[in-house]
């Protein structure tokens, strides 16, 4: 049992982090103990059972990033009661930093979210042309995301067929080339 008097004496604190859960969804907590410098705190983060919780330092933002399957938490270790982030409506699939470490990108199955080093939300991408988004990298002001395309033509779905979507890191705009659009159209017509 956590003793608040002991916590004050030792410099350890407990904080509870959770985004509002959907109606009828059971409240589940994942106990994660994070130590940062001279301060120590224990956070209880909302997470889906059986899913992994990732704890990453974000040096440019002077923050700790906790990526749980059901949400992303960006916590100031000096003031742990102040946090930013979002509840993932579909389930968080990954987190990545840009080359300089000043921007953070997180993906759920259908969209990508961006945060700047001041720990503020920057943008959310439009719905990607697919599902199961996985962040592959970020470089040259482009975020690369791999997705399984939606089955628009009623063809048998090929799980192995994954495509790359490139997003502009500044605003999340999808970068589409004429070649990739024409190639996908040609490939779909060949299957018919």
């Amino acid at each position: 049992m956590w003793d608040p008097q002991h916590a004050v004496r030792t410099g350890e604190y407990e904080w509870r982090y959770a985004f509002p859960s959907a109606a009828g969804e059971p409240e589940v907590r994942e106990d994660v103990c994070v130590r940062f410098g001279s301060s120590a705190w224990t956070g209880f983060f909302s997470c889906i059972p059986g899913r992994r919780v990732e704890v990453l330092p974000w040096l440019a933002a002077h923050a700790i990033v906790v990526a749980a399957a059901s949400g992303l938490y960006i916590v100031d270790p000096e003031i742990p009661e102040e946090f930013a982030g979002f509840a993932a409506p579909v389930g968080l699939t990954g987190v990545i930093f840009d080359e300089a470490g000043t921007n953070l990108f997180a993906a759920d199955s259908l969209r990508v979210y961006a945060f700047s080093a001041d720990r503020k939300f920057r943008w959310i991408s439009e719905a990607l042309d697919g599902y199961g988004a996985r962040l592959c990298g970020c470089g040259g002001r482009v975020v690369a995301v791999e997705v399984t395309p939606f089955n628009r033509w009623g063809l048998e779905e090929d799980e192995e067929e994954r495509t790359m979507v490139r997003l502009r890191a500044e605003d999340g705009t999808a970068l589409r080339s004429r070649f990739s659009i024409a190639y996908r159209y040609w490939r779909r017509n060949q299957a018919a």
Side-chain angles (χ1 to χ4, degrees), residues 90-108:
V90 183
L92 197 63
T93 60
V95 175
I96 195 169
F97 297 101
D98 66 1
E99 303 166 310
T102 56
N103 294 301
L104 169 96
F105 303 97
D108 65 17

Side-chain angles (χ1 to χ4, degrees), residues 161-182:
E161 180 187 329
R162 293 191 54 88
T163 61
M164 193 67 66
V165 176
R166 297 174 314 132
L167 303 174
R168 192 176 0 202
E170 291 87 25
D171 59 9
T173 303
L175 302 172
R176 295 180 174 95
S177 70
R178 290 185 199 154
F179 172 77
S180 65
I181 294 169

